[in-house]
Amino acid sequence: MDGDQALSSLPEPFARWFAGRGWRPRAHQLAMLDAAKAGEDVLLTAPTGGGKTLGGFLPSLIDLAHISAEGGKARPHRLHTLYISPLKALSQDVARNLMSPVEEMGLTLRIETRTGDTPQSKRARQRAAPPDILLTTPEQLALFVAQENGAAFFADLQAIIIDEIHALAPQKRGDLLSLGLAAINVYAPAARRIGLSATVKDVQGHARWLSRDPGAETLTTRVVRGEAGADPEISILTPEARIPWAGHMGIHAMEAVYEEIRRARTALIFVNTRSQAEFAFQQLWRLNEDALPIALHHGSLSVEQRRKVEGAMAAGKLRGVVCTSTLDLGIDWGDVDLVIQLGAPKGTSRLIQRLGRANHRLDEPSRAVLVPTNRFEHLECLSARDAVAEKVLDGEPLKEGALDVLAQHVMGRACGDPFTADGLYSEIRTAAPYARLPRETFDRVLEFVATGGYALGSYDRFRRLVQGRDALWRARNRTVAQRHRLNVGTIIESPMLNVRVVSKGKGPTRGGHHLGQLEEWFADQLTPGDTFLFAGQVLRFEGTSQTDLFVSRAGGEDPKVPSWQGGKFPLSTYLAERVRRLVSSPGEWEKLPGQIREWLEMQKLRSRLPEPDRLLVETFPRAGRHYLVCYPFEGRLAHSTLGMLLTRRLERARFKPLGFVANEYALSVWGLEDMSGADFAALFSPDMMGDDLESWLEESVLMQRTFRNCALISGLIERRFPGQEKTGRQVSFSADLIYNVLREHEPGHILMQAARADAATGLLDIRRLSDRLAAIDGRIDAVALDRVSPLAVPVMLEIGREPVYGEAHEAILESASEDLVEEAIRLD
C-alpha cells in the first residue's frame, strides 16, 4: 500500500492530521487497525521511534472520535481504554504526548492518569466518573480489582494497552497484572489486549502471556512487527589515564562525560543505581563551569522533584539529566540527542531501551557513549555493543506465577466481589502465569489467605476471609479490606524514612520540606552533624523521629553517598556468556583498549584464560593467607551463594576458610590452609545444590529476608495501617518469628514453598548457579600460582572493603590496587 492509499484508509480528521505533519501511517499501525476490527489481541514489536505507542492507541482514538462526535461533551462517563505501564513517569509522558494529536484534531476526549501519586479525591472522582482513556500502573489495577462494583466500572471497556510488556511479564508485577487482567475479563470479556515493546526476545511466549485464552492449543494473539530502524551509533569512552581495576563510580571519566554533555543538545546520563546517580550528579556539578542546566532524577526523590524535572525536560530547558531506570522505558524526550551510559549496562535489551531515548525517531540513528568504570566493565561494554550491532536481545525468561502474588490477588478479589472457589480457580487459570496451576495448590493458597494455614490457624489475626451460607468467600470485615488496599503491590523496598529539610541545629521536629526517601539502615549509620548527598545537595543530619529523617542544608567536603539495597541490575546470562567468549578469544582483543589487552595478555602469560565451557580456579598465597579465586562470570548474587556453599565444603575438608568476597565476574575465598591440593571436581560438583544447599538455607539470613518479602506480598504481614506504618525492625521481627514457627512446625507451608521458589531467581540466584555448575561439571582448570594473577586483582580489591561510597571509596581502591597490581604483573 503506497502513502496515499495508507492515508485514504484513515477516517477524517486522522488522515488530515497525518498529512499535515507530512506523515503516512506505517504498515504496523494499519495492521493494528485490522486487528482491532477483528477483535483480536495483538502484540506489537517495533523499534523505538517507530510510532509504536500511536499504533497501540490509534484504534481507540478513532473509535472514541466517533463516540464523542455523536455524544458530545455531555455523553456518559464510560471507560473505553485502559493503558498500563511499568513507570509512573511513562504514564505521565504518554498522556502528555497523546494530548497533542487529540487537541490538534479537535477531539473532545477525556484522558487522565492514575498512579500512586494521584490524590485520593481525584481517584474517587475517576471511579465515579471514568475518563475515556485512563493511564495507570499494575498496582492501581490491583486496587480497582479490590474495590466493590468492579463490573460497573469496567463494563464498557473496549481495549487494554500494556506498554513495555517485556519489563512486566517476567516479574511479580507481571503476575499481579496478569491476574488483574483475568478479573477484568470477567467484567468485559470483549476487551481487546494490546502489548507494546521494542525489546521482546521471546515473542511467542509474550504473545501467549497477553492472550485471553493462554491455554489454547493454537496461539490466539496476533503478532505485528514494525520495520527496522536506523542502526545506533555507539562509542566506548576510553580514558588516556590508567583504567581503574575496580570501583563503580567512574571518577576517572567525569571530565570526559562533562565534555560530552557540553557538545550535546540534551544528554541523558544513565546510571545503574541511585547511589551512582547522586554521586555522578555532584561530580558533574563541580565541573559545571558553564552553568549548564543539569538535573537529577531517580525513584527515591519526591514526586514534586521528579515532576519538575520531567516538565523541564519536556519543555527543552535542560542540557543533561542524571537518571536511573526511572527514565529508560518508552519516554519520548524530543530534544535528547545523546545517551551516556555510566557503568556497564548489564544487558543488551536494557541498553537498547536506553539508546532509544536519543533521537526518538525511526529513521535517525540513536547516539550513545558507554563509560566503563573498571576493566571488566570494558569487556562487558564491548560485548553489549557487539550484541546490539548484531540485533541480539536478552531478557528474563517467563516463568510460572508466584504463589505469594496469587495470595494477594485472592485477598483482593474477596475485598471486591465475593467469589466461589470453583469460579475463582477457573478465572485464575485464564492468566497465563497460572494456566497450569494445580487445583490442590490453589486450595492451599485459599486456605492460607482465609486462616493463615495449619500452623497459624489458631491466631485470630491471620483469619482474613469468611465463607457465607451462599458459599461465597468475602473479606472478613471492612477493616481487613481497608488494610489490604493499603498494602497492594509486589515492589518490596527496604524500610524507608522520609527526608525533610529543617533549620540547622533544630533536630527532630514536625513538618519540613519533603525531599524524598532514604533507607532506614543508612540512617542508622549517621550521627548528628554527619553530611551526605541526597537530591543533588549536601545535607547535614539532624535526627530522626518515627518515619522521618530531618536534615539541614550544608556544605563541606567528602559527604557520604547513600546506598540503597534495591535496584541493582544483575549481569544477564547472555551478556555473561559473551564476556566469557571475549576473554578466551585473543583474536578478538584488537577491539580492546591497549591497557585491557595488556591485562589479558599478562593473565595468559602468568596463569591461563578462563574458557567458556570450563571453570578456571586459581590458588595462591598472600600476606600469610591462602586464596582461591574462580571465574564463573554469573553475577554477584550467584557468586555469593557459591561462596556460602564453597566455604562449607572447604571447612569440612579442613582447609579452614575464613571468608569470601564476590563481584559480577569472580569469587575469592581465603583461609589458613593451602587449597591448591583440593579435589576441585568434587568441590565444585553440582551435588552441592542438594544437601549443602538445604542445610545452608535452613540458617541463611538471606532466606529469612526472602521469606519476609513473600510474607509482605502475600499480606500475611502488613506494613501500612490507617494513619501509621510499621518500621523495618517491626516488620523483620514479625517475619522472623513466623518463619521460625513455620520452619519448625509446618515446613511445607505454602509461603515457605513460595520463598524457596523465590530463592531460585531472587536474592540467592540458585537456578543460575545450578545451571553453571552443571555446565562445568568435571571441567575444572586448576592453576597453582605463587602470587595473585592479573585477572584476580579486581575481586581481591573487594576484600575488607568498608561500606564507604563515593570519592573516598574510589581513592581507597586506587591506593590498594598499587601493591596488588605490581605483584600481579611481575614476571620473575
Side-chain angles (χ1 to χ4, degrees):
M1 184 184 295
D2 63 27
D4 291 337
Q5 288 177 315
L7 273 178
S8 65
S9 67
L10 295 177
E12 289 292 345
F14 291 86
R16 187 171 62 251
W17 181 77
F18 269 89
R21 292 200 164 201
W23 294 353
R24 300 291 184 270
R26 298 186 186 275
H28 63 264
Q29 294 170 335
L30 296 177
M32 297 298 283
L33 292 175
D34 290 340
K37 290 174 184 176
E40 296 175 330
D41 299 327
V42 58
L43 174 62
L44 171 58
T45 65
T48 296
K52 184 170 61 267
T53 305
L54 181 57
F57 275 104
L58 193 56
S60 293
L61 292 176
I62 291 174
D63 194 22
L64 282 167
H66 176 71
I67 292 171
S68 65
E70 286 190 345
K73 292 184 178 180
R75 69 186 188 280
H77 284 261
R78 292 172 180 162
L79 180 62
H80 181 283
T81 297
L82 187 66
Y83 167 91
I84 299 168
S85 82
L87 296 178
K88 298 174 185 177
L90 181 54
S91 292
Q92 297 286 343
D93 178 66
V94 170
R96 184 167 49 240
N97 291 332
L98 197 58
M99 288 307 298
S100 294
V102 167
E103 291 174 351
E104 289 168 12
M105 286 186 279
L107 305 180
T108 56
L109 304 188
R110 305 163 182 142
I111 300 174
E112 296 183 6
T113 61
R114 177 185 173 117
T115 69
D117 301 332
T118 304
Q120 187 59 42
S121 58
K122 185 176 180 180
R123 294 192 209 182
R125 178 183 57 73
Q126 288 172 339
R127 189 161 184 83
D132 299 315
I133 299 175
L134 182 62
L135 300 97
T136 189
T137 60
E139 291 73 26
Q140 292 302 310
L141 178 60
L143 280 172
F144 276 122
V145 169
Q147 298 282 352
E148 298 171 350
N149 301 317
F153 183 79
F154 289 112
D156 299 293
L157 186 65
Q158 300 298 309
I160 305 168
I161 301 171
I162 301 161
D163 207 350
E164 308 295 353
I165 189 172
H166 68 277
L168 289 169
Q171 307 285 339
K172 286 191 177 185
R173 293 182 81 197
D175 293 345
L176 188 64
L177 172 57
S178 184
L179 290 165
L181 295 175
I184 290 179
N185 197 53
V186 174
Y187 304 136
R192 300 178 302 106
R193 299 179 185 177
I194 301 101
L196 308 176
S197 177
T199 53
V200 168
K201 179 184 179 183
D202 180 7
V203 173
Q204 296 300 307
H206 282 73
R208 190 169 294 280
W209 185 95
L210 188 66
S211 173
R212 283 170 283 174
D213 188 11
E217 289 187 15
T218 304
L219 184 63
T220 58
T221 303
R222 183 190 294 200
V223 175
V224 174
R225 301 176 189 268
E227 61 185 285
D231 292 335
E233 299 173 358
I234 307 174
S235 60
I236 299 175
L237 185 65
T238 303
E240 295 181 5
R242 190 173 81 168
I243 299 172
W245 292 75
H248 298 282
M249 293 299 181
I251 290 177
H252 72 286
M254 283 301 171
E255 289 187 10
V257 169
Y258 178 71
E259 288 303 315
E260 292 286 351
I261 297 171
R262 282 188 64 205
R263 290 193 290 266
R265 186 169 60 244
T266 304
L268 288 180
I269 305 94
F270 280 108
V271 296
N272 293 334
T273 68
R274 286 166 280 187
S275 297
Q276 283 178 297
E278 290 283 352
F279 181 76
F281 177 79
Q282 195 69 18
Q283 291 296 309
L284 291 172
W285 200 250
R286 288 180 182 178
L287 296 169
N288 192 8
E289 295 179 354
D290 305 281
L292 302 178
I294 301 174
L296 174 66
H297 192 290
H298 62 72
S300 288
L301 298 178
S302 68
V303 176
E304 295 78 15
Q305 177 66 16
R306 283 183 275 129
R307 294 293 174 268
K308 182 179 178 181
V309 172
E310 291 160 19
M313 278 291 290
K317 296 179 179 179
L318 297 177
R319 292 288 300 279
V321 179
V322 180
C323 55
T324 60
S325 58
T326 52
L327 292 184
D328 71 5
L329 290 176
I331 299 173
D332 178 11
W333 306 117
D335 286 334
V336 174
D337 61 336
L338 176 65
V339 162
I340 299 172
Q341 170 65 48
L342 182 57
K346 302 302 174 189
T348 58
S349 292
R350 180 175 299 109
L351 177 57
I352 290 170
Q353 284 288 341
R354 293 181 169 182
L355 281 170
R357 309 288 67 79
N359 292 336
H360 198 87
R361 287 170 289 278
L362 186 67
D363 54 352
E364 293 187 23
S366 299
R367 191 166 68 89
V369 177
L370 308 185
V371 185
T373 61
N374 59 57
R375 297 190 171 216
F376 267 118
E377 284 197 351
H378 265 274
L379 301 173
E380 194 179 328
C381 285
L382 179 60
S383 298
R385 186 181 69 179
D386 288 350
V388 171
E390 295 167 18
K391 296 180 170 56
V392 178
L393 299 173
D394 57 11
E396 294 182 61
L398 298 172
K399 51 185 179 292
E400 298 293 320
L403 297 180
D404 52 344
V405 178
L406 178 59
Q408 182 182 132
H409 178 72
V410 169
M411 186 66 220
R413 293 296 275 135
C415 294
D417 300 326
F419 59 82
T420 65
D422 290 345
L424 184 59
Y425 177 64
S426 297
E427 173 191 308
I428 284 170
R429 292 192 62 190
T430 65
Y434 300 91
R436 295 186 294 180
L437 179 75
R439 178 59 190 256
E440 180 267 341
T441 303
F442 168 78
D443 289 338
R444 289 173 60 213
V445 171
L446 178 58
E447 176 66 17
F448 159 65
V449 177
T451 68
Y454 169 75
L456 304 175
S458 59
Y459 298 92
D460 187 67
R461 67 190 179 100
F462 297 125
R463 296 182 175 273
R464 295 183 285 159
L465 301 185
V466 294
Q467 188 176 27
R469 294 180 180 177
D470 54 5
L472 297 178
W473 289 93
R474 48 178 57 84
R476 183 178 176 185
N477 52 48
R478 289 189 174 275
T479 300
V480 168
Q482 182 186 22
R483 280 162 47 177
H484 168 80
R485 294 176 190 127
L486 287 173
N487 290 277
V488 158
T490 64
I491 300 174
I492 302 297
E493 294 244 8
S494 296
M496 295 283 193
L497 296 178
N498 295 308
V499 180
R500 298 188 181 278
V501 180
V502 296
S503 300
K504 183 176 180 180
K506 195 169 183 179
T509 182
R510 290 187 176 183
H513 177 62
H514 182 225
L515 291 180
Q517 292 184 313
L518 282 173
E519 291 185 0
E520 196 176 84
W521 75 269
F522 177 75
D524 289 343
Q525 302 177 56
L526 300 174
T527 57
D530 284 350
T531 59
F532 61 91
L533 293 177
F534 185 67
Q537 307 172 50
V538 179
L539 303 173
R540 181 182 188 274
F541 175 59
E542 301 290 346
T544 60
S545 176
Q546 296 180 335
T547 58
D548 291 327
L549 183 150
F550 296 99
V551 299
S552 58
R553 291 186 171 87
E557 297 294 322
D558 298 327
K560 297 181 179 180
V561 180
S563 177
W564 285 263
Q565 299 289 343
K568 296 182 179 69
F569 296 127
L571 177 65
S572 76
T573 302
Y574 172 75
L575 205 51
E577 179 59 31
R578 289 196 74 120
V579 173
R580 274 196 292 265
R581 291 205 306 266
L582 176 59
V583 170
S584 65
S585 305
E588 299 291 316
W589 293 354
E590 70 271 7
K591 298 182 291 186
L592 295 169
Q595 294 182 53
I596 306 299
R597 192 166 56 248
E598 291 167 6
W599 173 47
L600 295 179
E601 288 169 348
M602 187 62 68
Q603 171 68 21
K604 183 181 178 182
L605 183 64
R606 286 263 356 268
S607 176
R608 64 181 297 165
L609 299 172
E611 296 182 28
D613 57 349
R614 304 181 68 83
L615 180 67
L616 173 63
V617 180
E618 298 173 331
T619 54
F620 51 84
R622 190 173 196 274
R625 292 181 178 177
H626 295 272
Y627 290 85
L628 179 157
V629 177
C630 60
Y631 305 89
F633 290 88
E634 290 295 345
R636 189 182 297 268
L637 295 179
H639 293 171
S640 295
T641 297
L642 176 60
M644 293 286 190
L645 299 176
L646 208 55
T647 50
R648 295 174 73 94
R649 289 195 159 186
L650 287 167
E651 181 66 35
R652 287 203 303 271
R654 302 181 182 279
F655 286 105
K656 301 178 183 177
L658 297 175
F660 73 89
V661 69
N663 63 16
E664 294 281 6
Y665 318 98
L667 166 71
S668 175
V669 180
W670 62 93
L672 297 177
E673 300 291 338
D674 181 2
M675 292 174 271
S676 62
D679 182 350
F680 292 109
L683 196 61
F684 288 91
S685 170
D687 63 13
M688 77 162 66
M689 306 305 290
D691 292 342
D692 279 328
L693 176 63
E694 287 300 318
S695 59
W696 173 59
L697 286 178
E698 286 291 317
E699 58 196 45
S700 169
V701 173
L702 289 176
M703 187 63 186
Q704 286 180 278
R705 192 192 305 174
T706 300
F707 175 84
R708 181 163 67 248
N709 292 346
C710 290
L712 285 165
I713 290 171
S714 70
L716 182 69
I717 295 175
E718 295 162 325
R719 173 172 285 171
R720 287 176 286 275
F721 296 83
Q724 61 177 324
E725 184 171 337
K726 279 186 177 180
T727 65
R729 293 185 189 87
Q730 290 170 326
V731 169
S732 297
F733 181 74
S734 299
D736 291 349
L737 279 177
I738 295 172
Y739 177 76
N740 290 330
V741 167
L742 295 180
R743 191 176 68 170
E744 182 174 352
H745 298 289
E746 195 181 353
H749 189 278
I750 196 73
L751 213 55
M752 297 291 280
Q753 181 180 334
R756 290 191 189 96
D758 263 19
T761 55
L763 291 170
L764 307 177
D765 220 351
I766 291 169
R767 185 171 301 151
R768 186 167 175 179
L769 174 60
S770 178
D771 291 345
R772 185 62 184 155
L773 290 177
I776 54 93
D777 187 19
R779 299 181 179 91
I780 309 295
D781 295 324
V783 181
L785 302 171
D786 61 353
R787 60 185 183 274
V788 63
S789 74
L791 211 60
V793 170
V795 74
M796 293 288 287
L797 286 170
E798 302 271 347
I799 295 173
R801 195 180 83 183
E802 296 297 321
V804 178
Y805 300 89
E807 210 161 352
H809 169 56
E810 302 288 304
I812 291 170
L813 284 177
E814 183 66 20
S815 175
S817 71
E818 293 178 2
D819 292 340
L820 266 174
V821 171
E822 183 180 348
E823 183 179 335
I825 64 176
R826 200 175 69 242
L827 293 177
D828 59 293

